[in-house]
Amino acid sequence: MKHYTYFHTRKDTGAVFYVGKGSGSRAYVIGRNKYWDRIVSKAGYDIHIASSWSTEKEAVEHEKFLILCFKDLGIVLS
């Protein structure tokens, strides 16, 4: 798995609050922004790998797609 897309969910509610793309251990690295930090310190989080991709370009496009999908559902992302 060279590149992948992922999302983080709150441990207390299961709600998605972050979507990203990365390689290596990026999905597991702590710290993104103040909003992310507040949620994690309050509720904890789970990591979900959405899909793997051969190229970074594919991962970026899928990340954009996931963000649009979650926003269309009314989900606020950090």
Side-chain angles (χ1 to χ4, degrees), residues 3 21 53-64:
H3 300 277
K21 59 95 181 158
W53 303 95
S54 299
T55 67
E56 183 178 20
K57 182 179 178 182
E58 291 172 312
V60 168
E61 291 304 313
H62 191 242
E63 176 190 33
K64 290 176 187 177

Side-chain angles (χ1 to χ4, degrees), residues 45-56:
Y45 73 108
D46 289 314
I47 301 162
H48 307 272
I49 304 299
S51 191
S52 60
W53 303 95
S54 299
T55 67
E56 183 178 20

